[in-house]
Amino acid sequence: MILHTPLIFLFSLFVQSPWLVFSINPPFACDPSDPETQQYAFCKPTLSIKRRTQDLMSRLTLDEKIAQLGDITPPITRLGVPAYQWWSESLHGVSSGGRGIHFDGPIKAATSFPQVILTAATFNPLLWYQIGQVIGTEACALYNAGQAEGLTFWSPNINIFRDPRWGRGQETPGEDPLTTSIYAASYVKGLQGSPYQGGYTPQVLQASACCKHFTAYDLENWEGIVRDSFNAEVSAQDLEDTFQPPFKSCIEEGHASGIIYITSDCDAVADIYEAQNYTKTPEDAVAYAIKAGMDLNCGNYVQKYARNAIQQGKLTEADLDRALQNLFSVRMRLGLFNGNPNRYTPYGSIRSDQVCSQDHQNLALQAALDGIVLLKNTESVLPLLKSQVSSLAIIGPNANNFTVLLGDYAGPPCKIITPLMGLQRYVKATRYLAGCQDVACNSSSIDQAVQLASSVDYVVMFMGLDQSQETEALDRIDLVLPGMQGDLITSVAKAAKKPVILVLICGGPVDIDFVKSNPKIGAVLWAGYPGQAGGTAIAQILFGEHNPGGKLPMTWYPQEFTQFPMSIMRMRAGPPNFIKDRRYPGRTYRFYKGYSVFPFGYGLSYSNYSHEIVTQSDNQLLTKTTINLHTINIDKNLNHYHIEEIGSEACKSSIFPVVVRVKNHGPMDGRHTVLMFMRWPKELNGRPTKQLIGFDNVYLKAGEVGNVKFAVSPCKHLSRATEDGKWVIDKGSHFLMVEKDELEINVSS
């Protein structure tokens, strides 16, 4: 298995292309003022893209073709084709990672949204789409202003957050395949300029999305096992029902114009020969990759060795043409072969004043507000009343650190408010102590912190992780808080006059079991890496201006989970002799059999909500129903139905509605997320314990009742993957679950 990029991209310094000359105009081909371009068919937008790309390729020499197959492509000066940089990043905002975007012109910043793991906690696909829209818009503005050499973005990261120690789990939408699949499609549609619902525009792209990375990639560098050479052995069952669904959704639902199967990650082709020793020569590595369907090599391996591979008979020019057809098609769909984008493309009118607009910054604040998760609130310690807080202590290494709020793959933010700054707006008598020199907290000023905590009305602590603990190329070893953070929290809580409020800023989960059971710690918030508006969002939640409604998109495991190697790819739990006579507990809420510090989907609110599954027609309680699958030539002796044999028409006709009635019992208005799960009566044949089949949000005033409607597809939502990776529906009972309420579904033919 090819695993990828040995480079660390965060805030990396780019090497400026020798072909780049900054100007007020963006790079483009087919200048209509140049009479020579009039003769080129590839410059005629009225022709099909296939015809145009074929014309362009027919004019290229072999060396010119080879030069276009790396992420840094030189100009084809004689044809008026400019240089192009394929690698840009936009994980949660237009980023300074990669080579294609430059913030050294008039545009100095871009809207920085929360890191993806926190945005996922909103369970709001429309928000995910809107974030993609904003990023695409700001990317176009940078390009139109002459501050970009490309509009292809290697985002989103839709690998499953399989192990809590993974350093890049923060970049993903979490551990659930359905959530990640819906996130992928929503973000991609927004970035590329497609409608949120309905069809898409295949000929016109606002920007190009590339869903990444190679499937089942979720390990950086753990106990000497590194991603570049790790052989991830994945079962057909796990591949089909865990790892592949997001990539399928990315293409089939989101219509992404790129994916890291046909775009290599950086230096992945070199890894085939140099790290994995899969081939005997570099030429073999290049030939294998291109013949397997790769179009673009991030790196220069193809550019260095493709000619030799052709001369050795391992590769043909036709193989290169196949790849180039796709590459030039994307650039043409971006409008970069239509003349100056400022005049001749649908997105050419996007100007620099749309970057960091107030609407965009408001959306960043909304994402942080709606994603932050309330984990504990004993005796309603929160929200705080401003009139009752005369003095406040802010303690912790993450309280006043600008960069920690952003997470990895961030660009320069429009502006940034730290938690300390946000809370100082509410309480003038606010005192601050870091408590630790940094997040590692190898030493701590506990005595000073204790003294401060005992002298004020309330204490809010900002602890957790940062990119020195979890990031690309860096997995965690432990799940507990680093260094002396735990001792600092316990000591401060003991000394404080009132129960302490703890805010965790981190991407991956941490084992804070000691906090859950400590009555002196009254409230806990998980704020992820909340982006440029993080400090404002945290302050508004603490003081009750926003009712928290986020839900955890990943399981929070105990420290004891670290006894199981990250290298075990198996999702399902194993027998006692599976690993050193210890019972392997499985991974993620779907299969994990152990204790959870906090489960997937957990999240409190300042309000209390109740749920009931009701009939769509008369809103009466519903506890059991039967659905019939009208199948043809199905073996009646089997205890399940094969999806392939049921057929698409029967699957479509079997979809039925389910309505969940939700009541907000107060005391506050709020946005509430409804998660619908499905379970089987027994966990046989590798069935998940339960699996998420749908989610939606509803905003309710205190005392208000509302309905959330789900369309349940038996073929999609009641099915499971067999050991050989085939999808089947079991006969008999299935249970739809919304918290404690259940609806039994009986499947028959």
Side-chain angles (χ1 to χ4, degrees):
M1 177 173 290
I2 301 173
L3 288 180
H4 2 248
T5 170
L7 301 178
I8 301 176
F9 302 142
L10 175 64
F11 298 130
S12 60
L13 296 175
F14 63 86
V15 178
Q16 183 169 307
S17 163
W19 311 293
L20 172 65
V21 178
F22 275 116
S23 69
I24 59 172
N25 290 320
F28 63 90
C30 303
D31 186 349
S33 65
D34 183 350
E36 289 191 16
T37 66
Q38 305 302 316
Q39 64 180 312
Y40 301 145
F42 70 80
C43 285
K44 300 184 184 300
T46 56
L47 298 178
S48 69
I49 285 181
K50 183 177 181 180
R51 169 79 182 280
R52 296 173 71 191
T53 55
Q54 289 174 341
D55 177 72
L56 175 56
M57 289 188 297
S58 71
R59 301 174 185 274
L60 302 182
T61 66
L62 177 59
D63 286 339
E64 286 173 333
K65 290 179 179 180
I66 291 172
Q68 294 295 309
L69 295 172
D71 68 292
I72 304 175
T73 65
I76 310 169
T77 306
R78 64 185 182 85
L79 297 177
V81 177
Y84 190 80
Q85 300 279 6
W86 283 92
W87 172 28
S88 295
E89 300 283 355
S90 62
L91 192 66
H92 52 111
V94 180
S95 171
S96 49
R99 298 186 176 99
I101 299 294
H102 311 294
F103 286 102
D104 53 356
I107 302 174
K108 302 293 185 183
T111 306
S112 187
F113 292 93
Q115 182 59 286
V116 177
I117 193 67
L118 185 69
T119 300
T122 67
F123 285 91
N124 186 343
L126 178 58
L127 176 66
W128 302 337
Y129 172 81
Q130 291 170 333
I131 289 173
Q133 272 188 316
V134 167
I135 294 172
T137 296
E138 296 195 348
C140 282
L142 279 154
Y143 196 90
N144 294 339
Q147 288 185 230
E149 297 177 85
L151 280 171
T152 40
F153 294 89
W154 294 353
S155 300
N157 181 342
I158 55 172
N159 293 114
I160 295 297
F161 198 170
R162 177 185 60 91
D163 190 288
R165 292 163 286 189
W166 186 29
R168 300 185 75 176
Q170 60 177 292
E171 301 176 20
T172 76
E175 69 182 35
D176 177 63
L178 176 71
T179 308
T180 305
S181 297
I182 295 175
Y183 180 90
S186 302
Y187 174 93
V188 167
K189 287 180 180 180
L191 185 82
Q192 295 193 160
S194 300
Y196 177 58
Q197 295 178 328
Y200 75 113
T201 51
Q203 298 301 318
V204 181
L205 293 174
Q206 176 176 245
S208 170
C210 179
C211 290
K212 63 183 184 184
H213 303 78
F214 207 80
T215 193
Y217 160 53
D218 46 30
L219 179 149
E220 301 298 307
N221 186 345
W222 178 84
E223 297 287 349
I225 300 173
V226 297
R227 58 185 177 173
D228 301 281
S229 56
F230 172 51
N231 182 24
E233 298 180 2
V234 182
S235 71
Q237 190 175 34
D238 287 341
L239 193 67
E240 184 62 29
D241 74 358
T242 297
F243 296 109
Q244 290 290 66
F247 291 95
K248 183 178 181 181
S249 175
C250 170
I251 298 300
E252 294 185 355
E253 304 297 329
H255 304 286
S257 49
I259 192 168
I260 290 193
Y261 288 81
I262 56 175
T263 297
S264 92
D265 209 332
C266 293
D267 294 325
V269 180
D271 282 345
I272 298 174
Y273 171 68
E274 296 178 1
Q276 298 157 9
N277 302 313
Y278 184 75
T279 63
K280 294 182 179 180
T281 68
E283 289 81 6
D284 286 333
V286 168
Y288 285 175
I290 291 178
K291 284 182 175 292
M294 185 193 75
D295 294 337
L296 180 71
N297 172 209
C298 180
N300 61 4
Y301 230 58
V302 170
Q303 292 163 321
K304 286 176 64 176
Y305 296 107
R307 174 171 275 279
N308 289 346
I310 290 174
Q311 292 173 345
Q312 295 169 13
K314 298 173 180 179
L315 202 60
T316 68
E317 189 169 353
D319 294 323
L320 305 189
D321 288 344
R322 178 206 54 77
L324 288 168
Q325 170 87 31
N326 295 330
L327 294 177
F328 284 124
S329 292
V330 169
R331 290 174 66 176
M332 289 181 183
R333 290 176 64 193
L334 287 165
L336 304 183
F337 281 74
N338 296 351
N340 191 329
N342 290 336
R343 299 180 182 178
Y344 300 108
T345 68
Y347 301 104
S349 61
I350 297 174
R351 295 291 176 256
S352 57
D353 60 1
Q354 291 184 248
V355 179
C356 292
S357 70
Q358 192 58 55
D359 285 345
H360 292 182
Q361 295 193 59
N362 290 345
L363 191 68
L365 175 58
Q366 179 193 338
L369 287 169
D370 291 350
I372 291 172
V373 181
L374 180 62
L375 297 174
K376 179 180 180 181
N377 195 22
T378 304
E379 297 182 359
S380 299
V381 170
L382 294 177
L384 298 174
L385 296 177
K386 186 176 179 180
S387 61
Q388 296 180 6
V389 182
S390 59
S391 59
L392 183 66
I394 307 298
I395 299 174
N398 281 342
N400 199 35
N401 186 325
F402 291 93
T403 59
V404 73
L405 300 179
L406 301 180
D408 69 359
Y409 280 92
C414 309
K415 62 180 180 181
I416 193 162
I417 303 297
T418 67
L420 174 62
M421 294 164 62
L423 289 169
Q424 285 174 329
R425 296 175 177 177
Y426 288 82
V427 181
K428 290 184 179 180
T430 295
R431 298 164 62 189
Y432 164 63
L433 178 72
C436 305
Q437 184 175 357
D438 51 33
V439 163
C441 202
N442 293 319
S443 62
S444 177
S445 51
I446 291 179
D447 291 343
Q448 289 178 268
V450 165
Q451 183 178 4
L452 174 59
S454 64
S455 66
V456 296
D457 285 343
Y458 285 91
V459 178
V460 183
M461 302 190 72
F462 290 89
M463 316 299 285
L465 307 173
D466 64 10
Q467 303 309 299
S468 72
Q469 304 294 314
E470 55 172 355
T471 192
E472 184 170 4
L474 179 63
D475 295 317
R476 285 189 287 160
I477 301 299
D478 294 310
L479 295 179
V480 294
L481 290 167
M484 299 182 67
Q485 284 196 37
D487 293 336
L488 178 62
I489 292 170
T490 302
S491 299
V492 167
K494 184 178 180 180
K497 296 177 181 178
K498 295 182 176 68
V500 163
I501 299 158
L502 173 64
V503 180
L504 295 170
I505 296 179
C506 55
V510 289
D511 182 351
I512 55 165
D513 221 29
F514 74 99
V515 169
K516 290 174 61 179
S517 58
N518 188 337
K520 290 286 288 179
I521 302 172
V524 181
L525 290 174
W526 174 65
Y529 295 119
Q532 67 174 50
T536 300
I538 291 168
Q540 287 187 10
I541 289 174
L542 292 181
F543 280 91
E545 292 185 11
H546 183 83
N547 192 350
K551 304 286 186 183
L552 292 178
M554 74 295 203
T555 302
W556 285 39
Y557 299 83
Q559 169 67 8
E560 64 186 32
F561 186 81
T562 60
Q563 67 183 298
F564 301 103
M566 279 190 74
S567 54
I568 297 177
M569 297 299 297
R570 178 170 173 163
M571 299 301 297
R572 288 152 170 88
N577 62 352
F578 180 68
I579 172 171
K580 296 181 181 179
D581 295 324
R582 289 172 290 168
R583 185 172 187 86
Y584 175 64
R587 297 180 182 277
T588 76
Y589 79 94
R590 297 165 63 230
F591 305 108
Y592 178 57
K593 304 299 182 186
Y595 166 73
S596 297
V597 178
F598 294 106
F600 172 89
Y602 181 82
L604 304 175
S605 169
Y606 294 155
S607 293
N608 296 308
Y609 297 89
S610 62
H611 312 81
E612 295 174 323
I613 299 176
V614 298
T615 58
Q616 184 175 22
S617 57
D618 54 9
N619 225 28
Q620 297 299 306
L621 288 179
L622 186 63
T623 59
K624 189 172 183 178
T625 190
T626 299
I627 59 171
N628 295 308
L629 294 176
H630 302 290
T631 58
I632 302 174
N633 298 325
I634 297 293
D635 188 341
K636 303 300 181 182
N637 295 318
L638 292 177
N639 59 4
H640 58 254
Y641 308 106
H642 285 273
I643 298 296
E644 291 180 352
E645 296 176 354
I646 294 173
S648 59
E649 288 302 315
C651 283
K652 186 175 181 180
S653 65
S654 67
I655 296 174
F656 62 96
V658 173
V659 178
V660 178
R661 184 168 63 203
V662 185
K663 182 174 182 179
N664 180 354
H665 296 273
M668 290 181 63
D669 303 347
R671 182 191 65 88
H672 181 62
T673 296
V674 179
L675 304 178
M676 178 171 283
F677 295 89
M678 190 278 289
R679 71 170 180 86
W680 289 265
K682 296 181 180 179
E683 295 177 35
L684 303 173
N685 304 313
R687 294 169 175 169
T689 302
K690 64 178 181 179
Q691 63 186 27
L692 187 67
I693 67 167
F695 53 87
D696 204 350
N697 298 272
V698 59
Y699 187 88
L700 297 172
K701 295 181 179 179
E704 187 178 6
V705 176
N707 288 343
V708 177
K709 298 180 181 179
F710 295 92
V712 178
S713 167
C715 293
K716 181 179 180 180
H717 298 135
L718 306 187
S719 59
R720 63 176 175 85
T722 61
E723 288 188 2
D724 59 357
K726 303 297 183 182
W727 287 97
V728 299
I729 302 178
D730 293 310
K731 295 179 181 178
S733 294
H734 301 69
F735 294 87
L736 303 185
M737 309 161 55
V738 178
E739 295 195 357
K740 296 180 180 180
D741 205 30
E742 289 192 345
L743 168 63
E744 183 179 357
I745 306 294
N746 184 57
V747 177
S748 63
S749 59

